[in-house]
Amino acid sequence: MSSLLKIAGGRVIDPLNGVDREPFDLWIKGGRVIEAPTDPDLRPDRTIDARGFVVMPGGVDIHCHVAGAKVDASRLLRPEERRLESGRARAAQHDFQGGTHGSCPSASITGQLYAGMGYTSVNDAAIAPAGAFLAHEELAETPLVDRSLLTLAGNHRYLLEALASGEHGLIEPFVRWLVRRTGSMGIKVVNPGGIESWKQGRGRITHLDDPVPEFGVSPRLILESLCKAAQAIGLPHAMHLHSLNLGLPGNSASTLETLKALSGLHVHLAHVQFHSYGGDPNDPGSLKADVTQLVDYLNSNPNVSVDVGQVLFGPTTIMTADGATAQYLAGLTGKKLLADHVELETGCGVMPIEYKDKNLVHAVQWATGLEWFLRVDNPWQVALSTDHPNGAAFTAYPELMALLADSNYRNECLALLPEAVRERSCLRELTRNYSLSELAIITRAAPAQMLGLSHKGHLGVGADGDVTIYQPSNDFRKMFAMPRWVVKSGLVIVDDTEIRNLAVGVTHRCNVQELEKEALEPIRRWWDENATTDWRSADIGSPMRDRLKPVNLRGQGGEK
Ligand SMILES: [Zn+2]
């Protein structure tokens, strides 16, 4: 018999169900939210007295990098972070068990840090297909949170060959195969065609209609094909896109052109802050915010969602499949770089970075992200992210929530930045303060909805019993950094601010069926002709897949 938990008398903020009520009782049994029992004599096994506290669903991170080869590479590349960690561990507010800290903490610490600030679900947004097995093993070792991953698709040579030969009918089966073999929730496209060009030692691809060397196909064709395939299959999450020209001054024009090329389709634009700049592409110092047209487009196109990829000041690590961008950035900064290519599939770049508040370019990036949050009409279209660890480690989310909720604090921070940032961003004119309900949308309800996790991000009957209980405070950094209680699947994992156990959650995967033999055969033939690895290694295998929790395709009745 599973225990009955009552969370009594709190202010429950559950935007999906239109709830902001106090006092309100929540009941959880069997890992799920249940109706309030009608028997007045029924005694819960445990009651949390939440009177005077704010009760929200557990946080959901739609875009982070917490598992797989790139994260492991960053740990190898950055031994200096290990040297700092004993000091950090002492400074940490929780008594963490095992593992290493830094901007790329070990799996055990990652789970504890997320849970310690009230997050109960995380989605790694970029796993190379070849690295899916390893990534799943690491996610399984990440305690206290449910997990999922997206797999990289936009530079796969099978895709490029199929498009080059005009065999467009091969694309949808390819996407089905890719998602199934990797146990992922959907597809991520990074610098479509541009990584392949970089792997060939050729130049950057900067325009949607530039041909990919050797193949002659355009990024436009890659994007349209994959986006339509994801939608036709009914993947729970729309195509997740990191487009061309990340981080370059003047890239907002190509970002807008990309959105228009995908007009009418469902698409999720990742870390949109890094794609929203004006300035001269040949002058990195000319960077300025250029958000207006993009945010207007979002405001009038409900089929588009974004996560912001906020930059916050401090040292962190860049890790991206976009090796071309990492190499460019390493050239600019003189930092060490680990660049890699993944056979037939994608690339990788990892390097250290420190965002400094006295650096004008970094300050403009900080302001650009905040402009995005503050200018979006509908918070259901935006998810809070720092593109962990690229813009900042996820542990900085409470700082970001404070910047959104408290314009006085935001203006104090802005005043410390280089004067010129005020001419390069309209941030100082924005007076909006996010309400607690809006914060609950961008940190839980909206990202859960975008990912197609219908049991998450809300507290209606049947929802996962993932709950975060905060002590209200005018100091939002403090409030969101240390919830008093966190409940995961009905289990109290943070009790009076202390992590009490290392319970293991589940990893979700999209429930795509195996391809028919005739649809699988062309892929298998191609694999045997082109790959250096055995065909069986192309799949995570049934034993692992069976350990993952299937989420139904859209149109199949939501999450299983
Ligand atoms: Zn990312």
Side-chain angles (χ1 to χ4, degrees), residues 11 13-15 19-20 56 434-442:
R11 175 184 170 190
I13 299 179
D14 177 11
V19 171
D20 183 352
M56 291 186 187
Y434 266 61
S435 66
L436 288 179
S437 178
E438 287 176 314
L439 286 175
I441 293 171
I442 65 170

Side-chain angles (χ1 to χ4, degrees), residues 391-415:
F394 65 81
T395 46
Y397 288 176
E399 161 77 8
L400 177 50
M401 292 164 86
L403 288 166
L404 298 177
D406 183 349
S407 55
N408 290 331
Y409 174 60
R410 190 165 67 232
N411 288 332
E412 283 169 23
C413 295
L414 181 59

Side-chain angles (χ1 to χ4, degrees), residues 454-494:
S454 58
H455 288 180
K456 297 205 173 285
H458 71 100
L459 296 170
V461 171
D464 286 353
D466 298 353
V467 188
T468 306
I469 304 166
Y470 297 107
Q471 171 98 60
S473 169
N474 291 331
D475 182 344
F476 292 104
R477 280 177 297 176
K478 191 171 148 200
M479 173 175 171
F480 291 113
M482 186 173 272
R484 179 67 69 90
W485 297 277
V486 181
V487 177
K488 172 76 186 64
S489 304
L491 195 67
V492 182
I493 56 173
V494 173

Side-chain angles (χ1 to χ4, degrees), residues 190-258:
V190 174
N191 192 354
I195 297 174
E196 173 58 31
S197 180
W198 172 73
K199 284 162 71 175
Q200 293 178 23
R202 312 289 186 96
R204 262 179 177 274
I205 290 187
T206 57
H207 191 269
L208 268 188
D209 295 312
D210 288 348
V212 180
E214 194 182 312
F215 297 93
V217 302
S218 66
R220 183 189 300 275
L221 182 62
I222 296 169
L223 290 176
E224 284 175 356
S225 306
L226 289 175
C227 202
K228 284 178 182 166
Q231 194 158 322
I233 296 165
L235 295 182
H237 181 45
M239 183 179 78
H240 195 103
L241 175 60
H242 152 161
S243 196
L244 304 173
N245 300 318
L246 179 134
L248 291 183
N251 64 7
S252 61
S254 78
T255 306
L256 186 62
E257 195 183 358
T258 301

Side-chain angles (χ1 to χ4, degrees), residues 80-118:
E80 69 276 12
E81 283 211 317
R82 307 285 87 75
R83 286 179 218 125
L84 293 171
E85 78 189 23
S86 59
R88 283 175 198 243
R90 273 198 301 278
Q93 292 151 318
H94 296 290
D95 184 17
F96 293 113
Q97 298 173 32
T100 54
H101 289 252
S103 60
C104 308
S106 57
S108 169
I109 296 294
T110 295
Q112 293 175 68
L113 286 168
Y114 266 113
M117 60 174 199

Side-chain angles (χ1 to χ4, degrees), residues 539-554:
D539 193 290
I540 59 170
S542 296
M544 175 168 281
R545 188 158 31 246
D546 292 347
R547 294 209 303 267
L548 311 179
K549 186 177 178 192
V551 174
N552 278 345
L553 298 173
R554 289 195 189 264

